[in-house]
Amino acid sequence: MNVKNCPGCGKLFMENPSGMCPECYAQEEVYEHKIGEFLREFGKASIERIHEATGVSEKIILRMLKSGRLQAEGLNMIGYPCDMCGISIFEGRLCSKCGSNFTKQVKTVYSDKNSTDAQRGVRMYTKDK
Ligand SMILES: [Zn+2]
Ligand SMILES: [Zn+2]
């Protein structure tokens, strides 16, 4: 049996599939329900907005989102911050703007290094797909 620190309250608990202590798990279920109701009523919302409306801390919302708990309910409607600029997005890890910048950067890196092998590799990889 492994003992872990609960990510919610920091207390030690016996490791279980939920990844947190039973009290925090029960608490998150309440939060999950609250957020679910809010989204059903208002549709898509950013984490900030959900926090204001439900009182659930943004940190907890983000953690639930990352653990897939909120999506599990079929509620893929929460905006979360883009990894690069922090704007609210609803899918992927980057907003469309940063996403296209990122792709450009990757291409630049490849040609800057003059690594034709890498480019060939990429092309082959895409072809194979
Ligand atoms: Zn806990
Ligand atoms: Zn962005």
Side-chain angles (χ1 to χ4, degrees):
M1 275 284 203
N2 282 326
V3 178
K4 270 177 69 173
N5 275 96
C6 171
C9 63
K11 275 193 287 193
L12 288 173
F13 73 105
M14 287 291 178
E15 196 170 16
N16 63 51
S18 71
M20 57 182 65
C21 78
E23 283 126 80
C24 288
Y25 187 73
Q27 183 64 67
E28 287 214 348
E29 248 166 19
V30 175
Y31 290 157
E32 200 180 326
H33 188 71
K34 265 190 181 177
I35 295 170
E37 294 220 307
F38 171 75
L39 289 174
R40 266 189 287 276
E41 203 168 326
F42 295 98
K44 284 189 175 186
S46 67
I47 290 181
E48 216 179 328
R49 180 82 187 83
I50 296 167
H51 163 66
E52 277 164 20
T54 61
V56 182
S57 97
E58 296 181 24
K59 224 172 104 190
I60 292 175
I61 300 171
L62 206 61
R63 192 175 66 229
M64 288 166 78
L65 208 59
K66 280 186 177 157
S67 68
R69 249 184 112 163
L70 291 166
Q71 274 101 335
E73 274 213 342
L75 299 165
N76 205 354
M77 308 204 291
I78 301 175
Y80 48 91
C82 160
D83 269 6
M84 287 177 99
C85 70
I87 199 175
S88 279
I89 51 173
F90 292 94
E91 58 181 0
R93 296 188 52 171
L94 301 169
C95 68
S96 50
K97 205 173 134 216
C98 294
S100 58
N101 281 348
F102 185 69
T103 319
K104 262 181 232 154
Q105 269 175 29
V106 171
K107 278 184 189 150
T108 318
V109 169
Y110 272 123
S111 42
D112 274 0
K113 280 187 178 166
N114 197 22
S115 49
T116 41
D117 280 351
Q119 278 182 328
R120 216 175 289 135
V122 168
R123 221 172 288 136
M124 272 164 68
Y125 179 72
T126 353
K127 225 177 172 183
D128 283 351
K129 258 177 137 181

